[in-house]
Amino acid sequence: MVEKQEEVQGNMQPAEDQDDIEALLNKIVENKDTIVAFMDLLSKMKEAGIIDVFMGIAKDYAPTDIEFLAKFFTEKELTEALLKVGNSMMGLLYGLGEERTSDLVKAISFNLPGVTEEFVNGVKNPQPLSALKLMALLKDPDVSAFITGLINALKVVVSSVKKVQ
């Protein structure tokens, strides 16, 4: 009798597993579009080498390190920081998208070696400035244009900062 109960229970186990598999298959069929989209995303990540990077990380670190990394990347503070950086980057990209701003950044960037050289030379070899020499420098059209532009830019920066909460 005991043997027959064990046999009956043994036969019921696969039926329960089949019910679980059937429920799983039903879920897969219900979400097939999402699963196909996810598989396409994984394929693109594989083609781009992103999956290989993650696999390399998984091979290089012990399971405890992976647990730490998983916890680190799911922390609320990291998410908030990434959102803030992303928001700042959008503002920066917006600002650089304006033609005059982009041209100004390019003009300064392409001349940075000269700017750096003159700045370093000025710091390493300072010349004494008297009040008369400063007055003469203010009459230089380039210096005057720079100071005027800087003052105008500072006014815009100050009015922008006043709007920050």
Side-chain angles (χ1 to χ4, degrees):
M1 180 93 170
V2 174
E3 289 178 19
K4 287 195 178 214
Q5 283 181 336
E6 289 176 2
E7 187 178 331
V8 170
Q9 287 177 350
N11 289 338
M12 290 185 69
Q13 188 75 21
E16 290 175 7
D17 288 344
Q18 286 176 351
D19 289 343
D20 290 344
I21 291 173
E22 189 175 333
L24 178 63
L25 289 173
N26 286 336
K27 287 288 187 186
I28 290 172
V29 170
E30 288 173 10
N31 297 302
K32 69 178 183 177
D33 294 336
T34 304
I35 293 169
V36 169
F38 185 69
M39 295 306 293
D40 287 343
L41 176 64
L42 285 176
S43 295
K44 289 177 182 174
M45 290 173 71
K46 175 81 172 154
E47 290 171 9
I50 296 171
I51 299 294
D52 294 333
V53 169
F54 285 130
M55 293 306 292
I57 290 171
K59 289 177 186 174
D60 291 342
Y61 294 98
T64 56
D65 293 337
I66 296 298
E67 291 170 10
F68 166 76
L69 290 173
K71 185 177 178 184
F72 175 75
F73 284 114
T74 57
E75 289 290 325
K76 181 181 176 185
E77 291 82 10
L78 178 68
T79 305
E80 289 175 352
L82 289 174
L83 287 172
K84 287 178 183 177
V85 167
N87 196 10
S88 298
M89 292 300 294
M90 291 303 293
L92 183 61
L93 290 173
Y94 174 80
L96 290 174
E98 202 270 317
E99 189 174 349
R100 289 183 75 187
T101 305
S102 177
D103 291 344
L104 174 66
V105 169
K106 285 188 284 186
I108 292 171
S109 297
F110 288 129
N111 291 299
L112 272 179
V115 172
T116 302
E117 186 67 28
E118 291 301 319
F119 181 76
V120 170
N121 285 341
V123 169
K124 287 186 174 184
N125 305 311
Q127 298 176 359
L129 293 175
S130 65
L132 291 175
K133 188 160 188 163
L134 278 174
M135 293 296 286
L137 282 173
L138 290 175
K139 291 182 181 180
D140 182 323
D142 290 337
V143 173
S144 178
F146 176 78
I147 291 173
T148 302
L150 188 61
I151 289 171
N152 291 340
L154 285 174
K155 287 180 181 180
V156 174
V157 169
V158 168
S159 71
S160 298
V161 171
K162 285 181 178 179
K163 295 176 186 175
V164 174
Q165 297 175 353

